[in-house]
Amino acid sequence: MGTMKTVLIIIDGLGDLPTPKTPLQEAHTPTLDQLAKEGITGMLAPVGKYIVPGSDVSHLQILGYDPKKYYPGRGPLEALGAGIDLNEGDVAFRANFATLKESVVVDRRAGRIDSKTAKELAKELSTTIDDVEIIVKHTVEHRLAIVFRGKDLGNKVGETDPHGKGEIKKVVGEDKESKKTAEIMNKFTAYAIEKLQKHHLNTGRQLPANCVLLRGVGKYRKVENFEKRFGIKGSCVAGGALYKGIGKYIGLNVIDVPEATGDKNTNVNAKINAVNNAKDEFVFMHFKACDSAGHDGDFETKKNMLEKLDRALTALKADNIIITGDHSTPVSMKAHSGHEVPILVWGLERKDDVEKFDEQNCMQGGLGHIEGKDIVPLILNISRKAKKYGS
Amino acid sequence: MGTMKTVLIIIDGLGDLPTPKTPLQEAHTPTLDQLAKEGITGMLAPVGKYIVPGSDVSHLQILGYDPKKYYPGRGPLEALGAGIDLNEGDVAFRANFATLKESVVVDRRAGRIDSKTAKELAKELSTTIDDVEIIVKHTVEHRLAIVFRGKDLGNKVGETDPHGKGEIKKVVGEDKESKKTAEIMNKFTAYAIEKLQKHHLNTGRQLPANCVLLRGVGKYRKVENFEKRFGIKGSCVAGGALYKGIGKYIGLNVIDVPEATGDKNTNVNAKINAVNNAKDEFVFMHFKACDSAGHDGDFETKKNMLEKLDRALTALKADNIIITGDHSTPVSMKAHSGHEVPILVWGLERKDDVEKFDEQNCMQGGLGHIEGKDIVPLILNISRKAKKYGS
C-alpha cells in the first residue's frame, strides 16, 4: 500500500443559524453534497459542547493541542505567522497602527491604512529599549506583530489598546517579570508615537498612523511537534497569518501560497493546487472568508464564499477528506457562537444516509456528535497511522 | 422477582467498512435482526473515539477495567488463559516456536507446527535458571505461554522476537529488576535452542521448531474481582486462551467448553449451551472467528461466521442480551481499526426504530454513540443490579 493523503479543510465560521435557511443550506454546493453522500457526516463541537471558541483555541484543539495546556496567547501565533522566528521566552503581541488626536485614539485602524504605507512605517519601529530587543513586523493593512526579546519578561500584563475611542492605556504588570514587560510596553508606546508623529508618510493623512496599540500578549514556548506527537507529517495551507502561525507553532510544514490572502479575494484554486502538490500524508487547509462574512452579517457573501470553495473542491485529490469548521459565526449574530458545526468525512470511512452537507442534515449523520479532541484520532484512524493500543 | 440472566456476546473484530457492503450487511442474520428490531441499537467506541484497540485492552475496558490502570500486558493474560495460576510478581510472555537457520529466524511459526508435536516439545522447556523458575505451557499450534517466577523480576524489557526474518534479539533491561529479567530471557533463549536442536521430534522436519521467541511481556498483579467491584457474579465462555485469561484475571467463572476452539471450526452451539447452563446472573461469551477472517481479508468467511453465530443464537435463553464487538477488523484493511462497532441491547431496555443489525443501521440507533466504559453500567442497569447514586 502506498502513502495515503488525508486532507482536513477548516472553513472558518462555517456554522450558522436558520433565517429561515442558513448560508450553507442556501448555497449551491454540489461537491460538498457529493462528498457527504458518499461519506459519513456528523456534528462537531470544536472545543466542547456549546463553548464559544476563538479561532486560535479551536484550531489548536482540532489539531490535537489542548488549548488549556498549549494556548500561548494570540500574539506568539500571529508573530510566527508573520514570519518571525521566536525564541523560548519571547513575549509577543498583536498590534494595530491607530490614529491619536489630542491624546485620544480616534481610529483604531488608522483609516485601515494601506499595506504598502504601513509596511514602510513599520520599518521605523524595530528598536531596543533598555535590554529588550523589539521586533516589529507588518502583516496586512493596519496590523502588526511585535516581539519583545530579552531576559525575564512576564506576560501578566494588560493591553494598551482602549478597544474604542479613548486614551491609550498605561499598562501595569502583576508580578516582577510582568512589571518589566509593562514598563517596556509603555516606553515602546511613547517611542512609537515620537517616531510616527513626524514621519513624512503621515504628512497630510487625515487619519495618520501615529501610534501603535498592543494586545493579545503571550509568551512563547516550544511545543512537541505534530509529527513527533502523532506519528504523521503534516503540511499547512493558509492565507491568514494566525493560521500559518498555528501551523508553524505545532510544527506543520507551512506552504506559502502568495495568492492566498485570507479574505474574499483569496485564490482558493491555488490553495487546492498547493494541497494537491503537498508531499506530506496530512494536509490542513484553512479557508477564512466565511467567518469574515459572518462577522459582517453578510449572508450573500458567506453563501458565495461557500460556492467559491465548492467549485474549487472539484479539483481536490486525496484519499481521505475531512471538511468542517472551527466554530459557527452566524450572520444573524455577527459573532462567534457555541453552536456545533457540520462535519463530513470521505474516504476510508463508512457511509451514512445523509446526502447533503448542511447544519440540519448532518445532525442525522452517522458520526453522531463529536468534539475537536476526536479529530486527530479520526485522522490517524483513516490514514492508517494509528498505533494499536494493546495487542 | 427471580434471578435475571444478562448475556454479553462480543464478536471479535465485528465492525467493517463497506466494499460496497460490509460482511454484516451482506450476511443473512435473521436472529440478530430480530433482536435489533425488538430491542435498541447504537454504535460503540470500545476504548475511545477512533482509538484502535487490541483485543486485550478492549475487553478489559468493556468489562469495566480501565486498561490504563489494569492492563497487565498480553503475557499474563495468555498465561492465565493457558491454565497457569499466576502469583503476584510473576513475569509472563507469549511465545512462539520458530525455525532458526544459521542464526536467522526463517519462520516465526515453525511452519505452523501441529499442536500435538508442539505440546510434546514444550514439555522439555520448563526449567530453572539461576533462582528463577520457568514454566512453559503450550496453547495451540506454535503458541506458548511462559512464566518467569522469582524474586525481583522487572518487566521493562524488549522482546527476543524479531517480528520477521532476522536474528533473535538480545534483550536489555531498563532498570535493575528488568536487567535480571532480560538476563534470564537471553539465557532461556539459549537453553531452548540447545534443548530443541537435538530433539528427536525435530528430526527430519523441514521447518524444525528449534527456538522460542518471547514477546508481550507483562507483570502480574491481582486485581479486584468482578463480583466485588460491580456486585454481580459473572461467567466467561470462550475458546481463545486470551479471552479465558481475561475472564480469569478479573475473576469471572471461566467455563470450559472443549469444543470451543477459538477458530472457525468452533462449536458455537456448545458455547450457547454453556451460556444457557451458566448459573451466574451475568455471562460474557466471546466469538473469535470474525476477527481472524478480517485479518485474512476473507469477506466470505467473515460473513459465514456471522451466519453461523446467528443460527446458534436461536437457542440462546436470557433475559437481557447485549451483542457487540471489541473493535472493527475491516476485511479491506486486514487489521484492527478505530471505527466504531454496532451494538444491540435486547431485554429490559427500550426499543428504537432500527430493524437490522449492521454498521449503517445502528448509526441511527436509540443508544446513540457510546463507549466501552458505558457497558458495565448498562449491564448493571438492565440486570437491576445498579446501586442508586444519591437518595
Side-chain angles (χ1 to χ4, degrees):
Chain A
M1 199 190 79
T3 305
M4 256 189 198
K5 186 185 275 187
T6 298
V7 175
L8 168 67
I9 297 179
I10 297 186
I11 305 172
D12 210 299
L14 172 65
D16 214 298
L17 292 170
T19 57
K21 296 275 181 185
T22 67
L24 186 55
Q25 285 177 313
E26 283 287 342
H28 177 63
T29 52
T31 319
L32 288 167
D33 293 343
Q34 186 68 24
L35 291 168
K37 187 174 176 175
E38 293 174 9
I40 188 167
T41 65
M43 295 301 282
L44 174 73
V47 172
K49 285 274 187 197
Y50 313 119
I51 303 297
V52 182
S55 290
D56 43 11
V57 155
S58 180
H59 276 78
L60 286 173
Q61 181 70 78
I62 289 171
L63 291 165
Y65 290 77
D66 181 348
K68 286 193 286 299
K69 188 167 174 194
Y70 293 104
Y71 181 52
R74 179 78 173 240
L77 299 174
E78 291 275 349
L80 286 167
I84 304 174
D85 288 318
L86 294 181
N87 295 344
E88 199 89 13
D90 283 354
V91 166
F93 305 86
R94 304 167 75 184
N96 279 11
F97 277 123
T99 304
L100 199 63
K101 272 191 185 153
E102 289 159 16
S103 297
V104 171
V105 174
V106 293
D107 189 314
R108 282 185 65 252
R109 299 184 183 89
R112 281 200 190 267
I113 185 169
D114 66 287
S115 291
K116 199 181 151 200
T117 309
K119 191 179 284 294
E120 283 302 307
L121 289 169
K123 282 182 187 166
E124 303 291 320
L125 297 177
S126 291
T127 183
T128 298
I129 296 178
D130 299 344
D131 63 340
V132 177
E133 182 188 354
I134 296 172
I135 304 157
V136 178
K137 190 143 182 188
H138 175 256
T139 58
V140 290
E141 296 177 329
H142 53 282
R143 298 183 191 88
L144 305 164
I146 299 186
V147 174
F148 287 6
R149 180 168 293 163
K151 270 189 196 155
D152 304 328
L153 291 169
N155 62 347
K156 293 183 176 163
V157 292
E159 311 190 325
T160 66
D161 190 339
H163 289 281
K165 283 194 187 181
E167 292 191 14
I168 294 178
K169 290 187 184 164
K170 274 267 179 270
V171 184
V172 289
E174 285 183 28
D175 52 32
K176 192 185 160 203
E177 300 197 335
S178 301
K179 283 193 204 324
K180 176 173 175 182
T181 302
E183 198 185 328
I184 304 291
M185 287 171 76
N186 296 329
K187 285 184 178 174
F188 173 74
T189 299
Y191 171 83
I193 291 168
E194 194 200 316
K195 275 276 178 181
L196 294 168
Q197 289 282 30
K198 57 187 178 195
H199 199 288
H200 70 277
L201 286 175
N202 270 324
T203 311
R205 283 187 66 86
Q206 205 184 348
L207 293 167
N210 57 7
C211 74
V212 169
L213 307 176
L214 300 168
R215 62 194 163 111
V217 67
K219 190 166 179 168
Y220 175 75
R221 64 184 178 84
K222 218 173 147 59
V223 300
E224 188 180 34
N225 83 49
F226 192 83
E227 184 183 1
K228 193 162 175 202
R229 195 167 164 80
F230 301 116
I232 185 168
K233 280 183 97 147
S235 295
C236 166
V237 174
L242 171 64
Y243 309 94
K244 293 193 225 180
I246 288 168
K248 207 164 154 191
Y249 179 60
I250 66 173
L252 299 180
N253 171 27
V254 179
I255 297 172
D256 195 41
V257 181
E259 305 99 311
T261 54
D263 63 19
K264 67 182 177 181
N265 302 314
T266 196
N267 184 342
V268 65
N269 297 311
K271 288 168 80 174
I272 295 289
N273 198 38
V275 170
N276 287 341
N277 290 332
K279 296 285 174 281
D280 291 328
E281 297 158 289
F282 169 62
V283 187
F284 152 56
M285 183 185 121
H286 181 260
F287 185 73
K288 181 70 183 173
C290 291
D291 178 56
S292 310
H295 281 287
D296 293 344
D298 183 346
F299 191 102
E300 275 303 299
T301 299
K302 191 164 178 182
K303 181 176 89 114
N304 292 342
M305 288 301 110
L306 289 164
E307 292 179 347
K308 178 176 176 173
L309 174 64
D310 191 85
R311 286 190 297 274
L313 283 173
T314 55
L316 178 63
K317 291 186 185 72
D319 300 289
N320 293 301
I321 300 170
I322 305 169
I323 300 179
T324 189
D326 59 342
H327 53 76
S328 294
T329 308
V331 165
S332 54
M333 290 175 65
K334 296 186 181 181
H336 293 194
S337 81
H339 300 93
E340 291 172 316
V341 290
I343 178 169
L344 75 81
V345 184
W346 176 97
L348 202 68
E349 248 295 352
R350 295 198 175 119
K351 192 189 160 343
D352 62 15
D353 298 330
V354 171
E355 304 205 339
K356 203 169 168 337
F357 184 64
D358 65 34
E359 294 87 347
Q360 202 168 337
N361 277 282
C362 291
M363 287 177 193
Q364 309 298 325
L367 292 172
H369 297 255
I370 64 175
E371 300 196 359
K373 68 179 170 48
D374 302 326
I375 298 294
V376 169
L378 167 63
I379 290 167
L380 297 178
N381 183 44
I382 62 178
S383 304
R384 301 196 183 178
K385 280 294 193 172
K387 285 189 189 73
K388 191 160 65 172
Y389 174 30
S391 72
Chain B
M1 200 192 79
T3 304
M4 248 186 208
K5 186 183 274 184
T6 298
V7 175
L8 167 68
I9 298 179
I10 297 186
I11 305 173
D12 209 299
L14 172 63
D16 216 298
L17 291 172
T19 58
K21 296 276 180 186
T22 67
L24 186 55
Q25 285 177 313
E26 284 286 342
H28 177 64
T29 52
T31 320
L32 288 167
D33 293 343
Q34 187 67 24
L35 290 168
K37 188 173 175 175
E38 293 175 10
I40 188 166
T41 65
M43 297 300 282
L44 174 73
V47 172
K49 283 275 187 195
Y50 313 121
I51 302 297
V52 181
S55 291
D56 43 11
V57 154
S58 181
H59 275 78
L60 287 173
Q61 180 72 78
I62 288 171
L63 291 165
Y65 290 78
D66 181 350
K68 286 193 286 297
K69 187 166 173 193
Y70 293 104
Y71 181 53
R74 179 79 172 237
L77 298 173
E78 290 274 350
L80 287 167
I84 305 173
D85 287 318
L86 294 181
N87 295 344
E88 199 88 14
D90 283 354
V91 168
F93 305 87
R94 306 166 75 182
N96 279 10
F97 278 124
T99 304
L100 200 62
K101 271 192 184 152
E102 289 161 15
S103 298
V104 171
V105 175
V106 293
D107 189 314
R108 281 186 66 252
R109 298 182 183 90
R112 282 199 187 266
I113 187 170
D114 66 287
S115 291
K116 200 182 149 199
T117 310
K119 192 177 284 296
E120 283 302 307
L121 289 169
K123 284 180 185 167
E124 302 291 322
L125 297 177
S126 290
T127 184
T128 299
I129 295 177
D130 299 342
D131 64 341
V132 177
E133 182 189 356
I134 295 172
I135 305 157
V136 178
K137 189 142 181 187
H138 175 255
T139 58
V140 290
E141 296 177 328
H142 54 281
R143 298 183 190 89
L144 305 164
I146 300 186
V147 174
F148 288 6
R149 180 168 293 163
K151 270 191 196 152
D152 304 327
L153 291 168
N155 64 348
K156 291 184 176 162
V157 292
E159 314 191 323
T160 67
D161 189 339
H163 289 279
K165 285 194 183 181
E167 295 192 11
I168 294 178
K169 288 187 185 165
K170 276 267 180 269
V171 184
V172 289
E174 285 182 28
D175 50 35
K176 192 186 160 203
E177 301 198 334
S178 301
K179 283 192 202 326
K180 178 174 174 182
T181 302
E183 198 184 330
I184 306 291
M185 286 172 77
N186 294 328
K187 284 183 179 175
F188 173 74
T189 299
Y191 171 83
I193 291 169
E194 195 199 316
K195 275 276 177 183
L196 295 168
Q197 288 282 29
K198 55 189 176 192
H199 199 288
H200 70 276
L201 286 175
N202 269 325
T203 310
R205 282 186 64 86
Q206 208 184 345
L207 293 167
N210 58 8
C211 73
V212 169
L213 307 176
L214 301 168
R215 63 196 162 111
V217 66
K219 191 166 181 169
Y220 175 74
R221 63 185 178 84
K222 220 172 147 57
V223 299
E224 188 181 34
N225 83 50
F226 193 82
E227 184 183 1
K228 192 162 175 201
R229 196 167 163 80
F230 300 117
I232 185 169
K233 280 182 94 147
S235 294
C236 166
V237 174
L242 171 64
Y243 308 94
K244 293 194 227 181
I246 289 168
K248 208 164 154 189
Y249 178 60
I250 65 173
L252 299 181
N253 171 28
V254 179
I255 298 171
D256 195 42
V257 182
E259 305 100 309
T261 54
D263 63 19
K264 67 181 177 181
N265 301 315
T266 197
N267 185 341
V268 66
N269 297 311
K271 288 168 79 174
I272 294 290
N273 200 37
V275 170
N276 287 340
N277 292 331
K279 296 286 173 279
D280 291 328
E281 297 158 288
F282 168 63
V283 188
F284 151 57
M285 182 186 124
H286 181 259
F287 185 72
K288 180 71 182 174
C290 290
D291 177 57
S292 310
H295 280 287
D296 292 345
D298 184 345
F299 190 102
E300 275 304 298
T301 299
K302 190 163 178 182
K303 180 177 92 120
N304 292 342
M305 289 301 110
L306 288 163
E307 292 178 347
K308 179 177 174 172
L309 174 65
D310 191 84
R311 286 189 298 274
L313 284 174
T314 55
L316 178 62
K317 290 186 186 71
D319 301 289
N320 293 303
I321 300 170
I322 304 169
I323 301 179
T324 188
D326 58 342
H327 52 77
S328 294
T329 309
V331 165
S332 55
M333 289 176 68
K334 297 186 181 182
H336 294 193
S337 82
H339 300 93
E340 292 170 314
V341 289
I343 179 168
L344 75 81
V345 183
W346 176 97
L348 202 67
E349 245 297 355
R350 296 195 176 121
K351 189 185 162 344
D352 61 16
D353 296 331
V354 171
E355 304 204 341
K356 205 171 171 330
F357 184 63
D358 66 31
E359 295 87 347
Q360 199 167 339
N361 277 283
C362 291
M363 285 175 193
Q364 308 300 324
L367 292 173
H369 296 256
I370 63 175
E371 299 198 1
K373 68 179 170 50
D374 302 325
I375 299 295
V376 170
L378 167 63
I379 290 167
L380 297 178
N381 184 45
I382 62 177
S383 304
R384 303 195 183 176
K385 281 291 196 177
K387 287 188 187 73
K388 190 161 65 177
Y389 175 33
S391 68

